[in-house]
Amino acid sequence: MLVAAAVCPCPPLLVPEVAAGAAPELDTARAACSDALAVLAAARPDRLVVVAPTEEAGAGVHAAGTWGSFRGFGVDLAVRLGRGGAETRGADAPAAAAGRELPPSLSVAAWLLERTRWADAPLEGLGVTEALTAEACAETGREIGARAERVALLVMGDASACRTLKAPGYLDERAAPFDAAVARALGTADLAALTALDIGLAHELKVSGRAPWQVLAGAAENAALTGTLLYEDAPYGVGYVVAAWS
């Protein structure tokens, strides 16, 4: 059964080496992510599953120990999913040693876990695509929730990318109301609201978190968890939400 969940955004800019001179702008978001992960650790889970959005090539299970990197963003930094310490390596990191390399969203999750020195439970990553229907997401969540007596979820994903004129998706007046509804749902653990998110609108607003959030809703169906909103903002015109469920 699901005993706790942390919801975090997944922009590579969360990693200071990627953000470079702009790194301080996301310090508050990073701190909120650390607080959310602390809620997971406090729940003493038997297993942690990291759910993150990805393209088709990154879909499916990524075993503990899989390497990812930020070389695609011009930074010689590698991370490992499921390593207890904060160790990272450069270009010689054996990214292929544990199979395919992590997609960017799971690499950000791996960085967050390394930063907080996660060593509280075995873990694995799961990449989910935008093509998943709400029901498929819910069923995936139910399966995750049944894997162990005490399961925790780290759920990665961004809200809309259309909050300002300079946003990746340009300005869309529907973006702010959509993001506000998402923040309310994640901050109150409103499963019905998450399940009912408009898939078409989420696609148009370039929302990467829709499928992972609906996986969370499925996993939490019988868990009676409560939510806390830890962070909500739209730096760079992209909506970022951090929440903790326990």
Side-chain angles (χ1 to χ4, degrees):
M1 177 176 288
L2 187 70
V3 295
V7 177
C8 296
C10 58
L13 288 172
L14 270 182
V15 180
E17 290 88 342
V18 176
E25 297 177 18
L26 290 180
D27 280 348
T28 303
R30 293 184 192 100
C33 290
S34 295
D35 291 343
L37 287 173
V39 171
L40 298 186
R44 301 183 180 274
D46 299 322
R47 187 159 196 84
L48 172 66
V49 179
V50 185
V51 182
T54 182
E55 301 295 332
E56 188 62 39
V61 175
H62 296 261
T66 302
W67 287 92
S69 79
F70 297 97
R71 298 184 193 95
F73 303 93
V75 176
D76 185 17
L77 176 69
V79 290
R80 192 176 186 182
L81 184 67
R83 196 172 185 88
E87 177 186 3
T88 57
R89 301 182 183 179
D92 60 341
R100 55 187 175 148
E101 189 168 344
L102 296 172
S105 57
L106 281 172
S107 292
V108 173
W111 179 83
L112 287 172
L113 290 164
E114 289 183 344
R115 182 172 182 261
T116 55
R117 298 181 179 273
W118 178 269
D120 297 274
L123 62 82
E124 67 181 45
L126 178 66
V128 295
T129 72
E130 187 182 40
L132 284 182
T133 65
E135 181 51 43
C137 290
E139 184 56 35
T140 298
R142 295 181 195 111
E143 293 172 357
I144 291 172
R147 288 185 188 176
E149 184 175 345
R150 300 182 64 80
V151 178
L153 278 178
L154 171 55
V155 182
M156 309 296 293
D158 302 338
S160 72
C162 304
R163 293 282 292 273
T164 66
L165 292 173
K166 294 184 178 180
Y170 196 66
L171 176 63
D172 190 314
E173 294 181 355
R174 302 171 297 175
F178 183 94
D179 289 357
V182 165
R184 283 195 299 271
L186 291 173
T188 59
D190 187 336
L191 308 188
L194 293 174
T195 301
L197 288 174
D198 187 320
I199 294 177
L201 179 57
H203 172 75
E204 292 174 10
L205 296 177
K206 303 184 182 302
V207 176
S208 71
R210 190 275 306 172
W213 299 332
Q214 290 184 328
V215 171
L216 168 60
E221 281 182 356
N222 299 309
L225 301 182
T226 59
T228 302
L229 184 64
L230 301 175
Y231 176 87
E232 179 193 5
D233 203 354
Y236 317 115
V238 181
Y240 299 150
V241 178
V242 181
W245 293 16
S246 62

